[in-house]
């Protein structure tokens, strides 16, 4: 019998390492977001869109940095092996990496991505928030953009 994924967006257990790297207490973040303090100890963890956005708002509040999304994105290193990081770094080129991430992004975030390649080999990435009920937190927008650039730099070893 096939398993059914719970509704919502999967919270990556690798987030624990990111919290550690940033010196942030997961309990503080989850408490601010109205979630159980031990959320990462539960498996599998999924959040609906409002709860997902509340966690990102709380991370922004706890870190209290003007570019909080970039700070979080740069805390992700190759040793934080999550399926999306592994898939990205194991791709033969940037286009493939982005397409693979785009395929699975809706499982972990209320966002859809599309990758287009022009005749001149220019890559265009389109990101669309799929949650109609609220705008995403600025911390999440900054993270998504910073994360992709950060991973592209790690994978290509180029100053993208």
């Amino acid at each position: 019998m096939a398993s059914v994924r719970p509704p919502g967006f999967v919270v990556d257990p690798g987030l624990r390492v990111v919290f550690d790297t940033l010196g942030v207490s997961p309990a503080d973040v989850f408490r601010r977001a109205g979630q159980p303090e031990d959320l990462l100890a539960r498996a599998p963890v999924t959040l609906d869109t409002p709860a997902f956005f509340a966690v990102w708002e709380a991370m922004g509040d706890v870190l209290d940095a003007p570019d909080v999304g970039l700070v979080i994105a740069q805390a992700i290193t190759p040793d934080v092996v999550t399926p999306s990081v592994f898939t990205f770094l194991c791709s033969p080129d940037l286009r493939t990496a982005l397409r693979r991430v785009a395929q699975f992004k809706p499982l972990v975030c209320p966002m859809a991505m599309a990758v287009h390649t022009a005749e001149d080999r220019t890559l265009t990435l389109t990101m669309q928030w799929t949650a109609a009920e609220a705008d995403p937190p600025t911390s999440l927008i900054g993270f998504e953009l910073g994360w992709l650039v950060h991973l592209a730099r790690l994978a290509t070893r180029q100053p993208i």
Side-chain angles (χ1 to χ4, degrees):
M1 177 164 39
S3 65
V4 176
R5 186 177 74 83
F9 305 99
V10 176
V11 176
D12 194 323
L15 191 56
R16 183 184 326 273
V17 177
V18 173
F19 283 140
D20 243 10
T21 301
L22 295 171
V24 171
S25 163
D28 289 346
V29 171
F30 295 132
R31 185 174 38 260
R32 277 183 181 258
Q35 297 298 315
E37 292 182 9
D38 66 343
L39 187 70
L40 292 176
R42 302 169 184 217
V45 178
T46 59
L47 298 174
D48 62 14
T49 300
F52 186 84
F53 284 177
V55 167
W56 276 94
E57 285 285 352
M59 285 194 289
D61 292 345
V62 169
L63 285 169
D64 191 30
D67 54 354
V68 69
L70 295 175
V71 169
I72 297 168
Q74 291 172 341
I76 296 175
T77 58
D79 62 321
V80 179
V81 181
T82 64
S84 55
V85 170
F86 182 77
T87 299
F88 195 103
L89 296 177
C90 290
S91 297
D93 54 51
L94 188 55
R95 182 186 70 229
T96 304
L98 291 171
R99 284 186 174 159
R100 288 176 176 172
V101 169
Q103 182 178 4
F104 295 102
K105 183 55 80 171
L107 298 174
V108 296
C109 184
M111 183 175 74
M113 295 172 49
V115 181
H116 307 282
T117 307
E119 286 184 27
D120 68 355
R121 297 181 43 155
T122 301
L123 281 176
T124 302
L125 177 65
T126 305
M127 303 164 92
Q128 179 180 358
W129 298 98
T130 58
E133 62 269 11
D135 290 331
T138 56
S139 56
L140 178 57
I141 296 168
F143 169 77
E144 290 297 340
L145 295 171
W147 179 77
L148 289 169
V149 172
H150 181 63
L151 283 182
R153 288 175 177 165
L154 285 173
T156 63
R157 300 189 187 281
Q158 297 296 316
I160 294 173

